[in-house]
Amino acid sequence: MSQNKQRLSWLEMLKVNQRAYLLFYKRYPRMILSRFALIIWKALTPYVGIYFSALIIEELAGAKNPGRIRFLVLLTLFLIAAGSLVTALLEKWKNVQSAGMWLKIKKILSEKLFETDYVNLNETKNMELYSAICQNHNSAGWGLYRTLEDCEALCQTVIVILGGASLTLSLFTSQVPESAGKYTILNNPLFVILIALIMLAVTCISPVLAGKAGRYLTSLADIHNLGNRMFSYYGHLGYDTKKAADMRIYRQDKICEKYNLNKESTFGSRGVFARYQKGPVGFYLAGASAVSGIFTGIAYVFVCLKAWAGAFGLGAVTRYVASITRVYGGISTLITTMEDMRSNAAFLNMVFEFLDIPDHMYQGSLTVEKRNDRKYEVEFRNVSFQYPGSQEYALKDVNIKFEIGKKLAVVGMNGSGKTTFIKLLCRLYDPTEGEILLNGIDIRKYNYREYMTIFSVVFQDFKLFSLPLGENVAARTNYDRELVTEALEKAGFKQRLAKMPHGLSTCLYKEYTESGVSISGGEAQKIAIARALYKNAPFIILDEPTASLDPVAEAEIYEKFAEIVGDRTAIYISHRLSSCKFCDKIAVFHHGTIVQTGTHQSLLTDQTGIYHTLWQAQAQYYT
Ligand SMILES: Nc1ncnc2c1ncn2[C@@H]1O[C@H](COP(=O)(O)OP(=O)(O)OP(=O)(O)O)[C@@H](O)[C@H]1O
């Protein structure tokens, strides 16, 4: 994650910020409009007060016409009140449009996570990148959010500078009368330029110092992220009920305390942040604010001297001091913002590196034929596969054709390639060599989303969510309650369903609701099977579907297997060979290759075969 420290050129900085801004605009145009309307309005309105209060003071110090003073005061009050009202309305619009900002940003990232090729999620560097992006955002809004703030600050600042400069210009051009004696030096163009340059120099020093302090903090982003991650891990252990028992037995809380509450740790009182604040960061920030005081001093002296010498009246003093201070603030902010945008550009680059991770699964465009007869023929032709980054073949030269509507059992020792075979069939990965054909066409040529619709899979490590039972089964919020109930009953969940306090609306697990129910591993497996049945896809794949079931539930599933599967083509992975007897064909995997195929009886006749060895190993405990 050293990318946090990369510093981009100004041009690269502009490009990447522009891309980020357009990304927001494309997705949330109204939010961008509302935010811009507000900042433009806020940048302009203070000048109303500055301008009219100067007129009032001018009148008080000059003609003192009560009618005119009354008129000016009322007009100023009215304009300020109307301006505040418009500001409030614009604020409201902006707040409504910007609600859930983190969710909006998270959505951009999550969509990539959900859509990206499955293989990309296996790459540690991609996951580290995602984690760093989230950490950067959480620590100081670095990344997409910062772009919004910076671009808006830039726009606001430009308006402030232009507005302030137009009111300030006459400060430098107004002439002191000849009668002012030595003060006429204030009319000398060289003197005026010198003062303007000193002011400009002082203006620039403050943000440069602040920028230096900022750069120190940016350089700590990686340490900050690691500190945050450690804090999130160790700091929340007490809250993690799954670890609570072990923590108590071994008093692991003491070690965690050491990592989390250590004074030397990242955020501790002797940690790196504290040291920087005491040292260079504190020094630069103090310097920046001191310089700002110097500027105000110079501005006051110059403006007052000119007024004293008779270049303008009292009213103009307040106007000039206010406007020149605004110009000063504007230029300071401009420099700080540009610096900030440059620092943020490295974080934005990480966001785009993540969003630009190439996806290959979506290149196919052929429609998967919708067949009512469910006659989908699948063939593995010379398929070999290596996991990304692995030198070993998880599958080697696999050839097999599925018979439509039949039940295929896949068996083999641990690590022989059974699950990998399923993952390739479902296009979670593409073969390294060879091809998989659906109705004679390479599956890579099909539209990916459509292809995925023809499979229902219960993976070994399936996951259910802390959502209502019905939504878990249907995998959507709008579902057919009758069909969900039917699927649950087929999966052997009927009796448990009857005990669910709110039926299908009962929430699984207790994370988010008191009324949620805890379920056992076996019950979870039945729900996962029901989810596969509800999808009603032409292929049903069950990877160790009864591993967590009690013997009665397991027997029930086997008895009803034909009914459960119906006319679908079924693939069934199991280590319990006795349960494969009812399959039409068994494929035996060994070291990533199919070494035997046949029925249970035919395979047993080959006494030198792997199947026989596996069968014997298991059978001895049951005889
Ligand atoms: N994501 C992965 N990255 C790298 N190698 C992997 C990955 N997943 C599995 N493998 C390796 O691929 C080989 C086949 O694994 P696979 O999960 O297909 O075996 P399996 O037959 O399903 O095993 P089991 O019976 O234990 O479930 C194993 O050597 C495994 O270590």
Side-chain angles (χ1 to χ4, degrees):
M1 278 168 273
S2 53
Q3 298 155 74
N4 275 340
K5 294 187 186 99
Q6 279 173 16
R7 212 162 153 71
L8 304 187
S9 71
W10 288 103
L11 186 66
E12 286 171 320
M13 174 281 268
L14 283 177
K15 275 190 192 158
V16 75
N17 273 285
Q18 184 199 28
R19 185 174 169 197
Y21 208 79
L22 288 178
L23 178 71
F24 271 119
Y25 184 69
K26 246 166 110 185
R27 283 173 170 260
Y28 309 112
R30 264 187 276 176
M31 178 182 82
I32 296 295
L33 286 178
S34 66
R35 296 177 74 98
F36 256 101
L38 181 64
I39 55 162
I40 292 174
W41 182 254
K42 274 188 163 174
L44 289 175
T45 41
Y47 292 108
V48 175
I50 293 175
Y51 182 78
F52 281 96
S53 51
L55 286 186
I56 294 168
I57 293 171
E58 203 75 66
E59 191 60 34
L60 284 169
K64 296 194 179 85
N65 178 338
R68 193 170 148 74
I69 291 172
R70 203 176 310 122
F71 170 74
L72 282 173
V73 168
L74 287 177
L75 182 63
T76 309
L77 287 178
F78 171 77
L79 289 176
I80 290 175
S84 303
L85 186 67
V86 175
T87 308
L89 291 174
L90 288 174
E91 285 273 9
K92 183 174 165 264
W93 187 33
K94 180 207 131 179
N95 289 341
V96 170
Q97 293 299 327
S98 305
M101 178 61 81
W102 174 224
L103 279 186
K104 286 183 165 70
I105 294 173
K106 189 91 177 161
K107 195 161 177 261
I108 296 174
L109 301 172
S110 311
E111 276 176 14
K112 177 69 185 176
L113 275 179
F114 286 129
E115 296 290 320
T116 195
D117 290 354
Y118 181 74
V119 65
N120 290 334
L121 301 179
N122 283 212
E123 301 259 358
T124 315
K125 72 173 169 42
N126 292 339
M127 288 301 98
E128 277 186 358
L129 185 60
Y130 176 73
S131 159
I133 291 168
C134 294
Q135 293 287 343
N136 290 335
H137 177 93
N138 293 343
S139 60
W142 292 116
L144 287 171
Y145 181 64
R146 198 65 161 239
T147 300
L148 268 190
E149 289 204 321
D150 282 341
C151 288
E152 288 165 10
L154 202 67
C155 173
Q156 185 170 19
T157 307
V158 170
I159 299 170
V160 166
I161 294 172
L162 290 178
S166 65
L167 287 182
T168 313
L169 204 62
S170 52
L171 166 67
F172 294 96
T173 54
S174 59
Q175 297 288 305
V176 168
E178 286 305 317
S179 56
K182 60 184 177 186
Y183 289 107
T184 51
I185 191 174
L186 295 170
N187 293 339
N188 186 327
L190 283 179
F191 182 79
V192 172
I193 290 172
L194 184 71
I195 288 287
L197 284 178
I198 291 174
M199 283 182 171
L200 194 65
V202 176
T203 306
C204 295
I205 290 172
S206 171
V208 167
L209 292 178
K212 274 191 182 292
R215 241 177 282 158
Y216 268 101
L217 295 176
T218 315
S219 73
L220 294 181
D222 290 343
I223 298 173
H224 192 280
N225 287 347
L226 181 66
N228 255 347
R229 280 167 70 183
M230 287 182 64
F231 177 78
S232 311
Y233 185 75
Y234 294 113
H236 294 104
L237 278 178
Y239 174 72
D240 189 341
T241 48
K242 290 189 187 110
K243 297 195 177 86
D246 285 322
M247 295 277 282
R248 277 162 180 70
I249 302 281
Y250 299 107
R251 288 314 310 249
Q252 281 165 314
D253 51 322
K254 294 287 165 211
I255 328 175
C256 298
E257 233 176 62
K258 181 169 172 287
Y259 284 104
N260 195 29
L261 301 175
N262 188 350
K263 280 185 184 166
E264 311 286 338
S265 69
T266 314
F267 305 116
S269 56
R270 286 207 289 267
V272 63
F273 276 92
R275 284 205 306 278
Y276 271 31
Q277 287 293 354
K278 277 183 213 154
V281 172
F283 170 76
Y284 285 123
L285 287 178
S289 81
V291 170
S292 136
I294 294 172
F295 177 90
T296 315
I298 296 173
Y300 264 101
V301 169
F302 184 63
V303 173
C304 291
L305 272 180
K306 283 198 101 164
W308 175 262
F312 39 75
L314 251 187
V317 171
T318 49
R319 192 183 79 206
Y320 285 136
V321 170
S323 57
I324 200 167
T325 312
R326 278 184 72 76
V327 175
Y328 163 78
I331 295 177
S332 288
T333 314
L334 184 76
I335 298 172
T336 317
T337 307
M338 297 287 281
E339 236 342 290
D340 199 63
M341 285 174 97
R342 198 163 166 207
S343 301
N344 191 43
F347 297 98
L348 278 178
N349 251 3
M350 294 170 74
V351 172
F352 288 119
E353 190 187 327
F354 175 75
L355 294 179
D356 292 341
I357 293 173
D359 295 318
H360 303 291
M361 290 289 178
Y362 296 93
Q363 285 166 5
S365 58
L366 285 185
T367 314
V368 175
E369 207 184 340
K370 296 266 179 302
R371 299 187 66 123
N372 290 332
D373 59 4
R374 299 179 180 237
K375 290 215 180 307
Y376 293 100
E377 189 185 65
V378 174
E379 181 183 356
F380 274 57
R381 206 180 270 174
N382 306 324
V383 170
S384 297
F385 178 70
Q386 286 169 300
Y387 279 98
S390 169
Q391 302 300 317
E392 305 286 321
Y393 275 96
L395 290 182
K396 187 75 188 151
D397 208 17
V398 171
N399 285 286
I400 191 167
K401 210 172 193 170
F402 302 158
E403 290 170 45
I404 297 156
K406 294 283 169 68
K407 291 155 198 64
L408 170 76
V410 175
V411 301
M413 293 183 191
N414 290 130
S416 57
K418 304 179 296 293
T419 302
T420 308
F421 170 72
I422 298 305
K423 287 186 171 165
L424 258 66
L425 175 63
C426 301
R427 270 207 92 189
L428 292 177
Y429 299 99
D430 278 336
T432 315
E433 290 150 36
E435 52 184 359
I436 304 167
L437 308 170
L438 173 71
N439 294 343
I441 296 172
D442 190 325
I443 58 173
R444 282 173 281 213
K445 295 191 176 147
Y446 288 107
N447 176 294
Y448 183 59
R449 283 201 183 85
E450 279 194 22
Y451 180 77
M452 298 295 257
T453 61
I454 64 172
F455 297 100
S456 281
V457 191
V458 180
F459 288 109
Q460 242 174 39
D461 52 354
F462 67 86
K463 292 281 176 284
L464 298 177
F465 298 96
S466 296
L467 291 172
L469 171 64
E471 290 179 20
N472 263 290
V473 173
R476 51 179 57 83
T477 44
N478 280 332
Y479 57 87
D480 185 323
R481 297 182 79 85
E482 241 172 69
L483 287 181
V484 167
T485 309
E486 196 182 309
L488 282 165
E489 286 179 4
K490 274 191 184 170
F493 200 76
K494 187 173 177 180
Q495 285 174 348
R496 184 71 180 90
L497 176 60
K499 284 195 230 152
M500 288 283 185
H502 305 290
L504 296 179
S505 306
T506 310
C507 206
L508 299 187
Y509 311 115
K510 290 183 177 291
E511 269 109 327
Y512 300 109
T513 164
E514 272 288 310
S515 63
V517 294
S518 301
I519 47 168
S520 71
E523 288 165 346
Q525 201 156 27
K526 289 177 186 173
I527 296 170
I529 293 174
R531 180 169 62 184
L533 294 177
Y534 182 87
K535 188 174 173 189
N536 198 20
F539 279 87
I540 182 156
I541 301 169
L542 306 169
D543 192 349
E544 286 285 334
T546 57
S548 310
L549 299 189
D550 62 54
V552 176
E554 187 181 11
E556 227 174 79
I557 291 279
Y558 294 147
E559 273 164 30
K560 293 204 293 184
F561 192 70
E563 186 199 334
I564 286 174
V565 167
D567 59 348
R568 284 172 262 214
T569 306
I571 303 171
Y572 175 76
I573 302 182
S574 181
H575 287 296
R576 293 181 210 188
L577 300 193
S578 57
S579 64
C580 300
K581 283 194 230 168
F582 55 85
C583 287
D584 302 298
K585 185 166 149 184
I586 301 170
V588 185
F589 275 71
H590 195 54
H591 293 314
T593 313
I594 298 180
V595 286
Q596 285 179 291
T597 51
T599 60
H600 176 67
Q601 285 310 327
S602 72
L603 289 172
L604 277 186
T605 53
D606 179 1
Q607 299 206 346
T608 57
I610 297 279
Y611 190 81
H612 189 269
T613 313
L614 293 172
W615 175 257
Q616 285 301 322
Q618 240 172 24
Q620 61 178 309
Y621 295 105
Y622 295 102
T623 51

